[in-house]
């Protein structure tokens, strides 16, 4: 049996540290491996090492490091997708044009690995093969035929991930590492990916596949082996069946501890909330136009129409959200969920051409962006990208910025703010890491920090766009418990976008489902109590 990767008694290093002191790993013919483990436990470091982004070093003279894929590995992940959007924003030339700069299309981006020009030379003509991408089996396998001519910045998260996968396949790299590939994907996209695994993973032909996951869920049947990392060490290595037996044992132990852990978490959360009442009261001071006996609806949209390049994203859309009506928002990738949220946050300028009212005031009639932000908490892919672009902001500053509605922190930290931030960090499992750089965290850890940042001021409206992206089981459960408690306070209303039905909260009795191509393009449902 052919061996492709043979690692014995080696470590993973970067310029600053040695995140994995000792590990061994073997990838043989007809094997398909799953890499799993909690956020920050070493899984991401292992994946980056395989891709050449970190160094694998022998521990002594008897160590072995042989890797057929050392210079032929491609990673497809939420982090790679975020970097792609960062790059598109850096190259955006809208301010120099009389229109919105579409940026690279899916066709141009994929063509870069087929002899096409790179991102900085995007005006150079494409090679002939680009005009017939629709005919390539890799394009059909990833289901991206219909979005090839759409700008990357106008794609949903799921569409970008499928485009990245397609490009990776066409790159002819010998090893593909797919990190948390099902996060944020609708049912159709998940089906496409599962078919992909069934077609390619574990087969003798290239590319070989390694799957990296935060949680043991939706694992393809083609996975044969599992390696698990925790606290920078390998805590399991063996067959998929052996790992499932191990998980059953752990689940029994978790069930016994779950209620006690949740109770302790809630007690700590309530204590922090009381301690930070002064900060929250300052942030949530109501504006004159809100100070009425009868409070207006939080959101009103009347006959809203939004689109670009002749495509309707929202058509004749009307919707009202009132205080303590917690909404679950769902729909397939590309159906307009993120566009809808950006109308609320003001990140989509078409809001000013429509009848959209927030907290009783029509957008574009004199309110400031700070009037809006004061009442919002936001967790979104866009916000995540913006914080990643800041780079060196420490965790304490990220949390405090939640009280100030800023991206980054530009004021002196008060003792009260520092105390509150550190208590929130302890609650989320980041005790003692307050001065660690946000940019040095794993993608999932970054997402957990941003959720805490959004919740600290108890905003009137908390907008959650796939909040559990990249979270391991531990963080995911803590965040869901936190959101459940936030809803119970009666001061914050949730708007929650997710494709995962297990993440829907009991309080979310109102459902908005977007249905592209149908008339009307949406359905509203209220569940019985």
């Amino acid at each position: 049996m052919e061996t492709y990767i043979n690692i014995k008694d080696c470590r993973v290093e970067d310029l600053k540290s040695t995140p994995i002191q000792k590990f061994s790993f073997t990838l043989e013919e007809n094997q398909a491996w799953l890499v799993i483990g909690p956020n920050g436990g070493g899984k991401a470091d292992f994946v980056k090492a395989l891709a050449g982004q970190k160094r694998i070093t022998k521990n002594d003279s008897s160590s072995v490091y042989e890797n057929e894929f050392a210079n032929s590995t491609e990673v497809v992940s939420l982090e790679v997708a975020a970097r792609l959007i960062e790059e598109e924003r850096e190259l955006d030339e809208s301010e120099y044009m009389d229109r919105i700069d579409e940026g690279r299309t899916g066709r141009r981006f994929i063509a870069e690995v087929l002899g096409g020009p790179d991102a900085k030379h995007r005006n150079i003509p494409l090679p002939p093969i680009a005009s017939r991408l629709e005919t390539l089996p890799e394009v059909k396998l990833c289901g991206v035929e219909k979005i090839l001519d759409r700008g990357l910045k106008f794609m949903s998260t799921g569409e970008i991930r499928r485009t990245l996968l397609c490009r990776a396949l066409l790159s002819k790299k010998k090893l593909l590492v797919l990190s948390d590939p099902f996060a944020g994907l609708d049912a159709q996209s998940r089906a496409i990916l599962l078919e992909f695994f069934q077609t390619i993973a574990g087969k003798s032909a290239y590319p070989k596949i390694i799957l990296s996951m935060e949680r043991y869920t939706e694992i393809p049947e083609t996975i044969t082996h599992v390696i698990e990392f925790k606290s920078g060490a390998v805590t399991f290595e063996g067959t998929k069946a052996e790992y499932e037996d191990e998980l059953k044992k752990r689940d029994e132990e978790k069930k016994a501890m779950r209620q006690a852990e949740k109770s302790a978490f809630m007690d700590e959360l309530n204590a922090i909330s009381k301690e930070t009442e002064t900060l929250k009261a300052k942030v949530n001071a109501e504006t004159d136009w809100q100070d009425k006996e009868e409070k207006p609806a939080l959101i009103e949209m009347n006959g809203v129409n939004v689109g670009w390049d002749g495509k309707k994203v929202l058509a004749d859309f009307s919707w009202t959200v009132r205080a303590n009506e917690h909404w679950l928002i769902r729909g397939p990738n590309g159906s307009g969920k993120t566009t809808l949220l950006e109308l609320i946050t003001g990140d989509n300028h078409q809001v000013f051409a429509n009848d959209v009212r927030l907290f009783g005031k029509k957008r574009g009639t004199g309110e400031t962006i700070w009037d809006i932000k004061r009442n919002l908490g936001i967790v979104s892919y866009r916000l995540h990208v913006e914080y990643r672009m800041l780079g060196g902001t420490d965790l304490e500053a990220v949390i405090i910025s939640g009280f100030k509605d800023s991206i980054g922190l530009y004021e002196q930290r008060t003792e009260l703010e520092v105390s509150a931030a550190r208590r929130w960090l302890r609650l989320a499992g980041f005790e003692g890491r307050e001065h660690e750089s946000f940019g040095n965290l794993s993608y999932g850890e970054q997402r957990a920090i941003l959720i805490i940042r959004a919740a600290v001021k108890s905003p009137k409206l908390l907008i959650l766009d796939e909040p559990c992206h990249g979270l391991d089981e531990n963080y995911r459960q803590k965040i869901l418990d936190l959101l459940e408690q936030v809803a119970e306070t009666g001061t914050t209303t949730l708007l929650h976008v997710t494709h995962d039905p297990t993440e829907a909260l009991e309080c979310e009795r109102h459902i908005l489902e977007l249905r592209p191509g149908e008339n009307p393009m949406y359905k509203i449902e209220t569940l019985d109590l």
Side-chain angles (χ1 to χ4, degrees):
M1 183 177 293
E2 187 173 356
T3 299
Y4 302 105
I5 299 176
N6 184 22
I7 303 173
K8 293 182 180 178
D9 190 15
C10 291
R11 63 184 182 271
V12 173
E13 298 178 318
D14 55 32
L15 294 176
K16 298 179 180 179
S17 63
T18 305
I20 301 176
Q21 299 281 346
K22 180 174 181 170
F23 77 104
S24 298
F25 175 73
T26 303
L27 172 60
E28 297 180 338
E29 186 179 359
N30 296 326
Q31 290 182 347
W33 280 81
L34 167 69
V35 186
I36 198 164
N39 298 133
K43 173 179 77 299
D45 299 299
F46 173 72
V47 166
K48 288 179 179 179
L50 290 182
Q53 298 168 19
K54 296 196 175 188
R55 187 169 61 250
I56 295 177
T57 305
K58 297 177 181 179
N59 278 327
D60 56 43
S61 59
S62 64
S63 301
V64 177
Y65 175 49
E66 300 168 341
N67 184 0
E68 181 179 324
F69 310 126
N71 299 308
S72 189
T73 299
E74 189 80 12
V75 177
V76 177
S77 67
L78 287 164
E79 189 168 349
V80 171
R83 285 204 302 269
L84 176 59
I85 297 305
E86 290 170 29
E87 186 176 42
E88 283 299 290
R89 293 185 65 174
E90 290 170 354
L91 295 172
D92 191 296
E93 297 182 347
S94 295
E95 61 182 300
Y96 308 114
M97 306 168 71
D98 59 357
R99 56 183 173 80
I100 295 176
D101 182 5
E102 183 184 38
R104 283 178 291 175
T105 62
R107 187 182 302 276
R108 181 169 286 275
F109 177 64
I110 291 172
E112 288 176 8
V113 297
L114 299 172
D118 62 19
K120 293 182 179 179
H121 300 87
R122 54 192 176 134
N123 295 318
I124 296 177
L126 295 174
I129 193 173
S131 64
R132 51 185 179 86
L133 288 183
E134 290 88 344
T135 66
L136 301 182
E138 294 88 349
V139 171
K140 294 178 179 178
L141 182 62
C142 297
V144 297
E145 305 101 304
K146 294 181 180 179
I147 58 174
L148 286 172
D149 295 311
R150 189 183 305 171
L152 295 173
K153 66 179 69 173
F154 299 121
M155 291 184 185
S156 69
T157 307
E159 289 168 337
I160 288 174
R161 305 269 295 290
R162 297 209 317 264
T163 301
L164 280 167
L165 177 59
C166 181
R167 174 178 150 128
L169 282 174
L170 288 169
S171 72
K172 302 303 180 185
K173 295 289 181 69
K174 290 184 177 180
L175 176 66
L176 298 186
V177 181
L178 308 183
S179 179
D180 224 10
F182 299 102
L185 295 189
D186 57 28
Q188 180 183 5
S189 298
R190 287 198 296 272
I192 289 171
L193 262 186
L194 285 171
E195 181 182 350
F196 165 81
F197 278 108
Q198 207 61 37
T199 304
I200 294 180
K203 305 294 191 269
S204 57
Y206 295 122
K208 306 302 292 183
I209 301 290
I210 291 179
L211 178 62
S212 174
M213 297 280 280
E214 306 295 345
R215 298 188 295 129
Y216 196 82
T217 180
E218 292 188 296
I219 306 301
E221 293 180 4
T222 44
I223 292 294
T224 60
H225 290 72
V226 178
I227 183 170
E228 178 189 74
F229 288 88
K230 289 182 182 178
S231 302
V234 176
T235 49
F236 178 88
E237 189 170 5
T239 67
K240 178 183 175 184
E242 290 169 340
Y243 188 67
E244 288 176 344
D245 288 340
E246 174 66 19
L247 288 182
K248 289 178 183 177
K249 296 176 186 176
R250 296 180 189 176
D251 285 343
E252 291 302 317
E253 296 173 1
K254 284 181 182 178
K255 286 177 183 177
M257 299 173 61
R258 165 68 179 140
Q259 196 53 48
E261 287 179 348
K262 182 177 180 180
S263 179
F265 179 85
M266 292 305 182
D267 288 344
E268 176 72 0
L269 178 59
N270 289 331
I272 293 173
S273 295
K274 289 179 181 178
E275 184 182 288
T276 55
E277 282 300 327
T278 302
L279 285 172
K280 290 189 290 186
K282 181 180 178 182
V283 171
N284 289 328
E286 295 187 327
T287 58
D288 291 341
W289 46 270
Q290 288 175 296
D291 194 13
K292 303 175 182 178
E293 289 185 11
E294 184 178 342
K295 300 294 183 183
L298 299 179
I299 301 171
E300 289 181 90
M301 295 189 182
N302 302 300
V304 167
N305 290 280
V306 177
W308 50 79
D309 293 336
K311 178 191 175 185
K312 284 282 188 182
V313 180
L314 296 174
D316 298 321
F317 178 80
S318 296
W319 184 44
T320 301
V321 175
R322 301 191 181 278
N324 295 315
E325 289 182 354
H326 305 293
W327 286 79
L328 177 65
I329 302 173
R330 63 193 187 195
N333 294 133
S335 62
K337 300 184 299 298
T338 297
T339 297
L340 172 65
L341 298 185
E342 289 179 347
L343 289 175
I344 300 168
T345 62
D347 291 315
N348 189 312
H349 289 172
Q350 294 186 52
V351 65
F352 300 112
N354 284 283
D355 185 2
V356 177
R357 301 168 188 269
L358 296 185
F359 314 112
K361 194 171 184 71
K362 189 176 186 299
R363 289 305 311 272
T365 56
E367 84 288 359
T368 69
I369 189 62
W370 301 110
D371 289 332
I372 301 302
K373 282 190 172 184
R374 185 180 296 117
N375 296 288
L376 295 181
I378 303 167
V379 179
S380 68
Y381 192 61
R382 176 188 286 267
L383 178 74
H384 199 151
V385 168
E386 289 179 350
Y387 253 103
R388 284 172 57 88
M389 292 179 76
L390 280 183
T393 306
D394 68 32
L395 304 189
E396 185 178 278
V398 175
I399 300 301
I400 294 174
S401 73
F403 290 109
K404 301 179 180 296
D405 303 312
S406 59
I407 307 296
L409 189 61
Y410 307 99
E411 302 175 16
Q412 285 292 111
R413 310 171 197 201
T414 68
E415 290 184 12
L416 180 59
E417 289 169 346
V418 168
S419 174
R422 293 187 181 184
R423 290 201 67 173
W424 279 102
L425 287 169
R426 184 172 73 242
L427 178 75
F430 291 89
E431 185 173 14
R433 300 174 66 182
E434 60 271 9
H435 295 306
E436 191 170 332
S437 170
F438 181 81
N440 289 342
L441 302 187
S442 70
Y443 188 94
E445 288 177 309
Q446 290 176 351
R447 182 55 64 102
I449 289 291
L450 291 179
I451 293 170
I452 295 296
R453 173 194 178 273
V456 292
K457 65 176 182 179
S458 296
K460 287 182 173 58
L461 196 61
L462 183 54
I463 297 174
L464 306 157
D465 191 358
E466 297 286 0
C468 293
H469 262 182
L471 298 185
D472 63 36
E473 190 59 54
N474 180 46
Y475 279 130
R476 177 178 176 270
Q477 193 57 63
K478 280 188 176 182
I479 292 306
L480 294 176
D481 286 345
L482 170 64
L483 296 178
E484 182 181 286
Q485 185 69 7
V486 166
E488 288 180 4
T489 64
T491 60
T492 297
T493 298
L494 308 183
L495 300 184
H496 183 192
V497 173
T498 181
H499 287 289
D500 188 341
T502 68
E503 292 173 5
L505 302 174
E506 189 174 338
C507 65
E508 293 165 354
R509 314 299 297 177
H510 301 270
I511 300 173
L512 170 63
E513 183 169 347
L514 300 181
R515 299 179 167 187
E518 297 186 20
N519 187 19
M521 295 176 70
Y522 65 99
K523 178 184 176 183
I524 291 175
E525 181 182 0
T526 300
L527 302 179
D528 295 331
L529 293 174

